[in-house]
Amino acid sequence: MKVNKAVFPAAGLGTRLLPITKAIPKEMLILVDKPLIQYGVEECIESDIQDIIIITGRGKTAIEDYFDRSIEHEVLLKEKGKHDLLKSVNDIASMINFSYTRQKEALGLGHAILCAQNLIGDEPFSIILSDDIIDAKVPVMKQMIEIYKKYRYSILAVQKVKDEDISKYGIIKGIEIEKGIYKIEDLVEKPGLEEAPSNLAIIGRYILTPRIFDFLKETKPGKGGEIQLTDAIKSLLSIQPVYALEFEGTRYDGGNKLELLEAQITFGLKNEELKKGLLNFIQNINL
Ligand code: UTP
């Protein structure tokens, strides 16, 4: 069955980016000229996914407003003959079906995904954490769907991380069955360096079979007192194979101030309109 739906969990509190996240959802922070979440939505369009389910929470209404039509802007831009801007305001909303559901309490990523069960139904689906910004020639979800077509079971995006970062991630133990593709044997959420089975960390892109919901319902709060998606996937392993893809691309953690800045510079330098001015600015910074 084709992967038609993507879940965007966006109900987290964004504590690492306080104080801005008191008023502005992390997903709405700007990366060069668009909010972070739009990069994830564009990744879906390029991966032939038409239905997006956004898990929101308190203080996240800006996300719904952003993907809705804005009649006032449309009228104004039409009157002024600004057709390019009009297109940028309307394009996304017309290409994707958006649904929203609320996670009433931030009980963890696993719990957020469980909130989408009724909207997913009985089909494989993808998950995109839009604060994991990935600069890739081929969108990561598209790379994963290609692998899914071959293996027909859950696929996790993984990346090698430095020893000192291992304790921040879900880490896989797996056997490499093809270049960059692992059959997973075990998963550990945020292990210490000594207990870590590898340095392959799970990054915010997943394709999961609907059987995950059976396990999410049973998953008890784990590390950090949160219902962890990694724990449910570990249980899924008892009945189905799960694979990992070491994707091609560079990833920036948008919830981390330094990496968000690095992404701004990289994406800014890749933008034809801004490249020259930005480079000139960087070369002449007077500290
Ligand atoms: P993060 O841990 O990166 O996001 O969760 P956070 O909790 O917003 O940020 P910090 O750590 O406090 O700074 C990964 C993803 O899971 C979502 C977040 O919105 C983010 O996209 N999430 C997390 C939920 O939707 N609900 C939760 O209860 C927890």
Side-chain angles (χ1 to χ4, degrees):
M1 206 176 187
K2 185 175 169 290
V3 179
N4 287 314
K5 296 180 180 171
V7 180
F8 280 57
L13 301 175
T15 42
R16 285 171 299 156
L17 294 180
L18 277 169
I20 185 87
T21 42
K22 272 170 73 187
I24 296 177
K26 174 166 68 174
E27 297 73 16
M28 290 304 294
L29 294 179
I30 194 164
L31 175 56
V32 183
D33 55 356
K34 291 176 286 197
L36 288 187
I37 194 167
Q38 185 163 338
Y39 291 85
V41 171
E42 289 173 358
E43 184 173 339
C44 288
I45 293 170
E46 290 178 65
S47 308
D48 199 22
I49 290 172
Q50 290 86 22
D51 293 311
I52 290 183
I53 298 154
I54 302 183
I55 315 293
T56 65
R58 278 177 60 76
K60 300 274 183 167
T61 46
I63 300 176
E64 284 181 61
D65 290 341
Y66 182 74
F67 290 117
D68 197 4
R69 288 182 64 182
S70 166
I71 304 295
E72 298 91 322
H73 284 111
E74 287 178 26
V75 170
L76 191 78
L77 294 172
K78 251 185 220 150
E79 273 173 16
K80 300 206 162 177
K82 300 201 166 174
H83 298 289
D84 277 2
L85 264 181
L86 185 63
K87 196 167 168 309
S88 77
V89 165
N90 279 340
D91 256 8
I92 289 266
S94 60
M95 279 190 258
I96 289 276
N97 303 313
F98 288 98
S99 320
Y100 297 89
T101 190
R102 257 174 113 113
Q103 184 189 21
K104 294 189 181 66
E105 211 182 328
L107 296 177
L109 176 59
H111 180 259
I113 301 302
L114 188 56
C115 295
Q117 182 176 14
N118 289 342
L119 292 166
I120 299 286
D122 193 24
E123 55 182 281
F125 64 101
S126 59
I127 301 174
I128 293 194
L129 306 190
S130 53
D131 51 346
D132 266 337
I133 305 160
I134 304 177
D135 178 25
K137 283 202 185 80
V138 178
V140 176
M141 189 47 70
K142 197 169 176 181
Q143 297 178 34
M144 294 171 74
I145 286 177
E146 281 312 308
I147 306 304
Y148 172 78
K149 283 182 189 158
K150 180 166 176 190
Y151 291 95
R152 316 302 296 178
Y153 282 106
S154 302
I155 318 275
L156 318 182
V158 294
Q159 185 187 48
K160 291 199 175 97
V161 294
K162 293 190 211 114
D163 283 359
E164 59 265 34
D165 290 330
I166 279 181
S167 63
K168 298 180 194 155
Y169 295 92
I171 300 290
I172 69 157
K173 176 180 181 211
I175 303 173
E176 192 166 17
I177 50 172
E178 268 185 61
K179 189 168 182 302
I181 301 174
Y182 299 81
K183 187 162 189 288
I184 298 179
E185 293 179 329
D186 198 8
L187 298 169
V188 201
E189 181 63 25
K190 304 190 172 72
L193 187 55
E194 316 70 48
E195 359 149 35
S198 74
N199 63 347
L200 287 166
I202 304 170
I203 303 302
R205 303 287 185 279
Y206 307 72
I207 293 176
L208 295 173
T209 66
R211 291 299 301 274
I212 192 70
F213 292 115
D214 299 340
F215 297 103
L216 277 173
K217 275 183 224 154
E218 304 296 327
T219 303
K220 303 270 174 294
K223 281 265 161 77
E226 296 196 336
I227 297 178
Q228 300 286 356
L229 181 59
T230 309
D231 292 342
I233 300 174
K234 187 179 159 93
S235 307
L236 180 67
L237 269 175
S238 64
I239 57 153
Q240 284 183 350
V242 177
Y243 298 91
L245 168 68
E246 200 179 341
F247 60 88
E248 286 180 24
T250 308
R251 174 255 184 187
Y252 302 87
D253 176 2
N256 170 295
K257 290 176 196 175
L258 178 62
E259 292 191 28
L260 184 56
L261 261 178
E262 290 170 357
Q264 300 285 2
I265 294 170
T266 311
F267 281 67
L269 289 173
K270 287 184 175 219
N271 181 307
E272 281 311 317
E273 233 176 88
L274 303 174
K275 185 177 166 181
K276 202 168 154 226
L278 181 58
L279 206 55
N280 185 41
F281 172 74
I282 292 170
Q283 281 162 349
N284 293 296
I285 286 180
N286 204 349
L287 291 176

PDB file of all heavy atoms in Angstrom, residues 1-3 47-48 142-153 155 207:
ATOM      1  N   MET A   1       0.851  -1.217   0.000  1.00  0.00           N
ATOM      2  CA  MET A   1       0.000   0.000   0.000  1.00  0.00           C
ATOM      3  C   MET A   1       0.883   1.263   0.000  1.00  0.00           C
ATOM      4  O   MET A   1       1.877   1.314   0.695  1.00  0.00           O
ATOM      5  CB  MET A   1      -0.853  -0.018   1.266  1.00  0.00           C
ATOM      6  CG  MET A   1      -2.119   0.739   1.132  1.00  0.00           C
ATOM      7  SD  MET A   1      -3.068   0.507   2.666  1.00  0.00           S
ATOM      8  CE  MET A   1      -4.562   1.300   2.211  1.00  0.00           C
ATOM      9  N   LYS A   2       0.482   2.265  -0.787  1.00  0.00           N
ATOM     10  CA  LYS A   2       1.290   3.478  -0.935  1.00  0.00           C
ATOM     11  C   LYS A   2       1.240   4.332   0.361  1.00  0.00           C
ATOM     12  O   LYS A   2       0.242   4.309   1.078  1.00  0.00           O
ATOM     13  CB  LYS A   2       0.703   4.267  -2.114  1.00  0.00           C
ATOM     14  CG  LYS A   2       1.453   5.489  -2.513  1.00  0.00           C
ATOM     15  CD  LYS A   2       0.833   6.087  -3.767  1.00  0.00           C
ATOM     16  CE  LYS A   2       1.402   7.472  -4.021  1.00  0.00           C
ATOM     17  NZ  LYS A   2       1.001   8.502  -3.074  1.00  0.00           N
ATOM     18  N   VAL A   3       2.311   5.073   0.599  1.00  0.00           N
ATOM     19  CA  VAL A   3       2.322   5.978   1.757  1.00  0.00           C
ATOM     20  C   VAL A   3       1.687   7.310   1.310  1.00  0.00           C
ATOM     21  O   VAL A   3       2.285   8.067   0.553  1.00  0.00           O
ATOM     22  CB  VAL A   3       3.763   6.229   2.265  1.00  0.00           C
ATOM     23  CG1 VAL A   3       3.769   7.183   3.450  1.00  0.00           C
ATOM     24  CG2 VAL A   3       4.447   4.914   2.621  1.00  0.00           C
ATOM     25  N   SER A  47       7.485  14.081  -2.311  1.00  0.00           N
ATOM     26  CA  SER A  47       7.480  12.630  -2.060  1.00  0.00           C
ATOM     27  C   SER A  47       6.118  12.031  -2.397  1.00  0.00           C
ATOM     28  O   SER A  47       5.825  10.886  -2.024  1.00  0.00           O
ATOM     29  CB  SER A  47       7.819  12.348  -0.596  1.00  0.00           C
ATOM     30  OG  SER A  47       8.996  13.012  -0.220  1.00  0.00           O
ATOM     31  N   ASP A  48       5.260  12.812  -3.058  1.00  0.00           N
ATOM     32  CA  ASP A  48       3.946  12.354  -3.509  1.00  0.00           C
ATOM     33  C   ASP A  48       3.017  11.954  -2.355  1.00  0.00           C
ATOM     34  O   ASP A  48       2.267  10.985  -2.440  1.00  0.00           O
ATOM     35  CB  ASP A  48       4.143  11.174  -4.494  1.00  0.00           C
ATOM     36  CG  ASP A  48       2.900  10.972  -5.346  1.00  0.00           C
ATOM     37  OD1 ASP A  48       2.114  11.927  -5.482  1.00  0.00           O
ATOM     38  OD2 ASP A  48       2.698   9.847  -5.853  1.00  0.00           O
ATOM     39  N   LYS A 142      11.452  11.063   0.347  1.00  0.00           N
ATOM     40  CA  LYS A 142      11.431  10.411  -0.968  1.00  0.00           C
ATOM     41  C   LYS A 142      12.440   9.241  -0.994  1.00  0.00           C
ATOM     42  O   LYS A 142      12.141   8.155  -1.492  1.00  0.00           O
ATOM     43  CB  LYS A 142      11.776  11.443  -2.054  1.00  0.00           C
ATOM     44  CG  LYS A 142      11.403  11.000  -3.425  1.00  0.00           C
ATOM     45  CD  LYS A 142      11.514  12.140  -4.408  1.00  0.00           C
ATOM     46  CE  LYS A 142      11.213  11.616  -5.796  1.00  0.00           C
ATOM     47  NZ  LYS A 142      11.326  12.633  -6.810  1.00  0.00           N
ATOM     48  N   GLN A 143      13.618   9.467  -0.398  1.00  0.00           N
ATOM     49  CA  GLN A 143      14.615   8.383  -0.310  1.00  0.00           C
ATOM     50  C   GLN A 143      14.024   7.207   0.477  1.00  0.00           C
ATOM     51  O   GLN A 143      14.207   6.041   0.118  1.00  0.00           O
ATOM     52  CB  GLN A 143      15.878   8.859   0.433  1.00  0.00           C
ATOM     53  CG  GLN A 143      16.640   9.991  -0.244  1.00  0.00           C
ATOM     54  CD  GLN A 143      17.859  10.437   0.611  1.00  0.00           C
ATOM     55  OE1 GLN A 143      18.502   9.653   1.288  1.00  0.00           O
ATOM     56  NE2 GLN A 143      18.165  11.731   0.555  1.00  0.00           N
ATOM     57  N   MET A 144      13.270   7.515   1.545  1.00  0.00           N
ATOM     58  CA  MET A 144      12.727   6.453   2.401  1.00  0.00           C
ATOM     59  C   MET A 144      11.612   5.689   1.707  1.00  0.00           C
ATOM     60  O   MET A 144      11.485   4.467   1.845  1.00  0.00           O
ATOM     61  CB  MET A 144      12.214   7.062   3.709  1.00  0.00           C
ATOM     62  CG  MET A 144      13.335   7.638   4.554  1.00  0.00           C
ATOM     63  SD  MET A 144      12.737   8.560   5.955  1.00  0.00           S
ATOM     64  CE  MET A 144      12.178   7.251   7.043  1.00  0.00           C
ATOM     65  N   ILE A 145      10.780   6.421   0.949  1.00  0.00           N
ATOM     66  CA  ILE A 145       9.672   5.753   0.256  1.00  0.00           C
ATOM     67  C   ILE A 145      10.222   4.755  -0.776  1.00  0.00           C
ATOM     68  O   ILE A 145       9.683   3.661  -0.946  1.00  0.00           O
ATOM     69  CB  ILE A 145       8.704   6.803  -0.356  1.00  0.00           C
ATOM     70  CG1 ILE A 145       7.889   7.432   0.788  1.00  0.00           C
ATOM     71  CG2 ILE A 145       7.784   6.177  -1.404  1.00  0.00           C
ATOM     72  CD1 ILE A 145       6.946   8.534   0.408  1.00  0.00           C
ATOM     73  N   GLU A 146      11.328   5.103  -1.411  1.00  0.00           N
ATOM     74  CA  GLU A 146      11.955   4.168  -2.363  1.00  0.00           C
ATOM     75  C   GLU A 146      12.327   2.866  -1.655  1.00  0.00           C
ATOM     76  O   GLU A 146      12.118   1.775  -2.182  1.00  0.00           O
ATOM     77  CB  GLU A 146      13.218   4.794  -2.984  1.00  0.00           C
ATOM     78  CG  GLU A 146      12.934   5.791  -4.095  1.00  0.00           C
ATOM     79  CD  GLU A 146      11.942   5.266  -5.132  1.00  0.00           C
ATOM     80  OE1 GLU A 146      12.173   4.155  -5.652  1.00  0.00           O
ATOM     81  OE2 GLU A 146      10.933   5.959  -5.398  1.00  0.00           O
ATOM     82  N   ILE A 147      12.872   2.978  -0.450  1.00  0.00           N
ATOM     83  CA  ILE A 147      13.283   1.785   0.316  1.00  0.00           C
ATOM     84  C   ILE A 147      12.032   1.027   0.790  1.00  0.00           C
ATOM     85  O   ILE A 147      11.976  -0.204   0.769  1.00  0.00           O
ATOM     86  CB  ILE A 147      14.156   2.186   1.544  1.00  0.00           C
ATOM     87  CG1 ILE A 147      15.347   3.039   1.101  1.00  0.00           C
ATOM     88  CG2 ILE A 147      14.634   0.957   2.313  1.00  0.00           C
ATOM     89  CD1 ILE A 147      16.227   2.408   0.056  1.00  0.00           C
ATOM     90  N   TYR A 148      11.019   1.796   1.190  1.00  0.00           N
ATOM     91  CA  TYR A 148       9.760   1.166   1.643  1.00  0.00           C
ATOM     92  C   TYR A 148       9.157   0.306   0.526  1.00  0.00           C
ATOM     93  O   TYR A 148       8.662  -0.789   0.763  1.00  0.00           O
ATOM     94  CB  TYR A 148       8.767   2.250   2.097  1.00  0.00           C
ATOM     95  CG  TYR A 148       7.408   1.680   2.393  1.00  0.00           C
ATOM     96  CD1 TYR A 148       7.161   1.002   3.577  1.00  0.00           C
ATOM     97  CD2 TYR A 148       6.382   1.768   1.447  1.00  0.00           C
ATOM     98  CE1 TYR A 148       5.931   0.424   3.834  1.00  0.00           C
ATOM     99  CE2 TYR A 148       5.150   1.200   1.694  1.00  0.00           C
ATOM    100  CZ  TYR A 148       4.920   0.529   2.883  1.00  0.00           C
ATOM    101  OH  TYR A 148       3.707  -0.047   3.115  1.00  0.00           O
ATOM    102  N   LYS A 149       9.229   0.816  -0.704  1.00  0.00           N
ATOM    103  CA  LYS A 149       8.646   0.073  -1.838  1.00  0.00           C
ATOM    104  C   LYS A 149       9.291  -1.300  -1.957  1.00  0.00           C
ATOM    105  O   LYS A 149       8.662  -2.252  -2.390  1.00  0.00           O
ATOM    106  CB  LYS A 149       8.862   0.856  -3.145  1.00  0.00           C
ATOM    107  CG  LYS A 149       7.901   2.024  -3.313  1.00  0.00           C
ATOM    108  CD  LYS A 149       8.174   2.694  -4.649  1.00  0.00           C
ATOM    109  CE  LYS A 149       7.406   3.988  -4.788  1.00  0.00           C
ATOM    110  NZ  LYS A 149       8.027   4.884  -5.800  1.00  0.00           N
ATOM    111  N   LYS A 150      10.548  -1.400  -1.572  1.00  0.00           N
ATOM    112  CA  LYS A 150      11.249  -2.678  -1.676  1.00  0.00           C
ATOM    113  C   LYS A 150      10.961  -3.585  -0.465  1.00  0.00           C
ATOM    114  O   LYS A 150      10.687  -4.762  -0.632  1.00  0.00           O
ATOM    115  CB  LYS A 150      12.752  -2.404  -1.801  1.00  0.00           C
ATOM    116  CG  LYS A 150      13.584  -3.648  -1.904  1.00  0.00           C
ATOM    117  CD  LYS A 150      14.990  -3.323  -2.362  1.00  0.00           C
ATOM    118  CE  LYS A 150      15.833  -4.587  -2.370  1.00  0.00           C
ATOM    119  NZ  LYS A 150      17.234  -4.286  -2.586  1.00  0.00           N
ATOM    120  N   TYR A 151      10.995  -2.994   0.760  1.00  0.00           N
ATOM    121  CA  TYR A 151      10.927  -3.851   1.956  1.00  0.00           C
ATOM    122  C   TYR A 151       9.517  -3.956   2.560  1.00  0.00           C
ATOM    123  O   TYR A 151       9.238  -4.887   3.312  1.00  0.00           O
ATOM    124  CB  TYR A 151      11.936  -3.370   3.009  1.00  0.00           C
ATOM    125  CG  TYR A 151      13.360  -3.624   2.573  1.00  0.00           C
ATOM    126  CD1 TYR A 151      14.107  -2.635   1.923  1.00  0.00           C
ATOM    127  CD2 TYR A 151      13.949  -4.860   2.764  1.00  0.00           C
ATOM    128  CE1 TYR A 151      15.401  -2.876   1.496  1.00  0.00           C
ATOM    129  CE2 TYR A 151      15.240  -5.119   2.340  1.00  0.00           C
ATOM    130  CZ  TYR A 151      15.975  -4.122   1.707  1.00  0.00           C
ATOM    131  OH  TYR A 151      17.255  -4.373   1.288  1.00  0.00           O
ATOM    132  N   ARG A 152       8.640  -2.993   2.291  1.00  0.00           N
ATOM    133  CA  ARG A 152       7.233  -3.015   2.703  1.00  0.00           C
ATOM    134  C   ARG A 152       7.017  -3.053   4.222  1.00  0.00           C
ATOM    135  O   ARG A 152       5.965  -3.495   4.692  1.00  0.00           O
ATOM    136  CB  ARG A 152       6.449  -4.184   2.062  1.00  0.00           C
ATOM    137  CG  ARG A 152       6.676  -4.433   0.603  1.00  0.00           C
ATOM    138  CD  ARG A 152       6.381  -3.269  -0.281  1.00  0.00           C
ATOM    139  NE  ARG A 152       5.007  -2.827  -0.312  1.00  0.00           N
ATOM    140  CZ  ARG A 152       4.593  -1.783  -1.021  1.00  0.00           C
ATOM    141  NH1 ARG A 152       5.448  -1.080  -1.740  1.00  0.00           N
ATOM    142  NH2 ARG A 152       3.347  -1.415  -1.008  1.00  0.00           N
ATOM    143  N   TYR A 153       8.016  -2.682   5.013  1.00  0.00           N
ATOM    144  CA  TYR A 153       7.836  -2.585   6.464  1.00  0.00           C
ATOM    145  C   TYR A 153       8.367  -1.227   6.934  1.00  0.00           C
ATOM    146  O   TYR A 153       8.830  -0.429   6.113  1.00  0.00           O
ATOM    147  CB  TYR A 153       8.568  -3.734   7.171  1.00  0.00           C
ATOM    148  CG  TYR A 153       7.802  -5.041   7.096  1.00  0.00           C
ATOM    149  CD1 TYR A 153       8.220  -6.074   6.245  1.00  0.00           C
ATOM    150  CD2 TYR A 153       6.653  -5.241   7.858  1.00  0.00           C
ATOM    151  CE1 TYR A 153       7.504  -7.272   6.167  1.00  0.00           C
ATOM    152  CE2 TYR A 153       5.938  -6.434   7.787  1.00  0.00           C
ATOM    153  CZ  TYR A 153       6.373  -7.437   6.950  1.00  0.00           C
ATOM    154  OH  TYR A 153       5.662  -8.603   6.878  1.00  0.00           O
ATOM    155  N   ILE A 155      10.337   1.940   8.187  1.00  0.00           N
ATOM    156  CA  ILE A 155      11.686   2.439   7.869  1.00  0.00           C
ATOM    157  C   ILE A 155      11.964   3.659   8.755  1.00  0.00           C
ATOM    158  O   ILE A 155      11.134   4.578   8.812  1.00  0.00           O
ATOM    159  CB  ILE A 155      11.789   2.932   6.396  1.00  0.00           C
ATOM    160  CG1 ILE A 155      11.084   2.010   5.395  1.00  0.00           C
ATOM    161  CG2 ILE A 155      13.236   3.255   6.014  1.00  0.00           C
ATOM    162  CD1 ILE A 155      11.883   0.849   4.907  1.00  0.00           C
ATOM    163  N   ILE A 207       8.741   6.002   8.479  1.00  0.00           N
ATOM    164  CA  ILE A 207       7.584   5.388   7.821  1.00  0.00           C
ATOM    165  C   ILE A 207       7.215   4.220   8.730  1.00  0.00           C
ATOM    166  O   ILE A 207       8.090   3.416   9.091  1.00  0.00           O
ATOM    167  CB  ILE A 207       7.919   4.873   6.403  1.00  0.00           C
ATOM    168  CG1 ILE A 207       8.232   6.058   5.479  1.00  0.00           C
ATOM    169  CG2 ILE A 207       6.736   4.063   5.838  1.00  0.00           C
ATOM    170  CD1 ILE A 207       8.668   5.668   4.075  1.00  0.00           C
TER     171      ILE A 207
END
